[in-house]
Amino acid sequence: MDELKSYICHFIDMNDAQWQRFSSLFEEVHYQKGEHIYGDSEVSECLYFIVEGIVRSYKLEENGKDFTWTFHCLDMDTLDHRMLMDIAVVDYVSFTQGVPEELAFEVLVDATLMKMRKAALYTLYESDPFWLKFAAKMAEDSYAIMRERTFNLLTKSAKERLELLIDYFPGVFEKQVLVDHIASYLGITRQSLSRLQREREHLLHEV
């Protein structure tokens, strides 16, 4: 919990009383590898902050293939690179607009999360202008993550996207994350990812 507090307070200052009020809304929940946090096409009524483990968000296509949107984990080394890591496990569109989710959330490594119900969070917003500022900050961060993710896919090569992922999430290949999920996140095939890894290792050995 202390690390979660440090992470959140890095982006918006909270005094001890504000943090105590905010964290009092949390319910600690646990998920095992392979479980899904939301049901199929469910409307998001809860916001989760990940404390331990790794979760991936993905979109399932009609042909059965899925596209990994991002990975969710609490890593203090990613404070300034949230376009690659997000601690909030939620489909923001579903959560804010009350429509069925399009993103699914799969637990890749046994996870501990702090669950906050939408009704409690919205009551908090109404109680003090500070929490409206907090809501605005969350919305800004959500947009920044989406923008950076989209720009990376549109403007950077597969090699550049791989380098970014390794720079900001160096342990991704050692954290029980399937290569297929990493390739999907990068927008390439598994075969292309293997080729890029071999080329990268070859260049590193030459240095």
Side-chain angles (χ1 to χ4, degrees), residues 105-116:
F105 296 85
E106 178 188 10
V107 178
L108 302 182
V109 177
D110 290 357
T112 299
L113 302 100
M114 295 299 172
K115 176 180 177 180
M116 183 179 293

Side-chain angles (χ1 to χ4, degrees), residues 10-11 22 29 43 49 67 74 79 89-91 104 106 108 115 118 141 160 165 167 181:
H10 178 81
F11 304 108
F22 184 67
V29 293
V43 174
F49 292 105
F67 172 79
L74 177 57
L79 280 171
V89 179
V90 66
D91 183 326
E106 178 188 10
L108 302 182
K115 176 180 177 180
K118 179 178 178 179
D141 286 351
E160 289 172 325
L165 182 61
D167 285 347
H181 296 335

Side-chain angles (χ1 to χ4, degrees), residues 32-82:
Q32 294 183 334
K33 178 180 177 179
E35 289 189 302
H36 280 71
I37 294 175
Y38 295 109
D40 185 36
S41 298
E42 187 178 343
V43 174
S44 296
E45 293 295 340
C46 296
L47 170 67
Y48 296 81
F49 292 105
I50 190 163
V51 177
E52 294 181 354
I54 303 175
V55 172
R56 77 168 181 126
S57 51
Y58 68 94
K59 175 73 168 65
L60 185 64
E61 303 293 341
E62 292 182 0
N63 60 9
K65 294 183 178 181
D66 63 62
F67 172 79
T68 298
W69 176 249
T70 197
F71 298 105
H72 305 262
C73 72
L74 177 57
D75 184 343
M76 297 303 289
D77 292 333
T78 67
L79 280 171
D80 297 316
H81 305 296
R82 283 159 296 143

Side-chain angles (χ1 to χ4, degrees), residues 81-180:
H81 305 296
R82 283 159 296 143
M83 72 289 293
L84 294 170
M85 293 293 120
D86 192 358
I87 66 166
V89 179
V90 66
D91 183 326
Y92 284 107
V93 174
S94 176
F95 186 77
T96 58
Q97 299 185 18
V99 298
E101 297 170 347
E102 291 196 35
L103 288 175
F105 296 85
E106 178 188 10
V107 178
L108 302 182
V109 177
D110 290 357
T112 299
L113 302 100
M114 295 299 172
K115 176 180 177 180
M116 183 179 293
R117 298 190 180 278
K118 179 178 178 179
L121 182 61
Y122 276 48
T123 297
L124 190 65
Y125 290 164
E126 295 171 359
S127 69
D128 187 321
F130 171 83
W131 299 109
L132 292 177
K133 178 182 176 182
F134 173 77
K137 182 61 178 175
M138 286 184 61
E140 290 170 4
D141 286 351
S142 175
Y143 173 76
I145 291 168
M146 179 183 67
R147 177 181 180 274
E148 192 70 18
R149 174 78 172 108
T150 303
F151 279 7
N152 283 344
L153 285 171
L154 292 175
T155 64
K156 295 188 182 300
S157 68
K159 180 180 178 181
E160 289 172 325
R161 295 197 296 273
L162 175 61
E163 292 293 343
L164 276 175
L165 182 61
I166 292 173
D167 285 347
Y168 299 150
F169 192 22
V172 65
F173 290 100
E174 289 80 41
K175 292 182 178 291
Q176 304 178 50
V177 178
L178 294 179
V179 173
D180 286 346

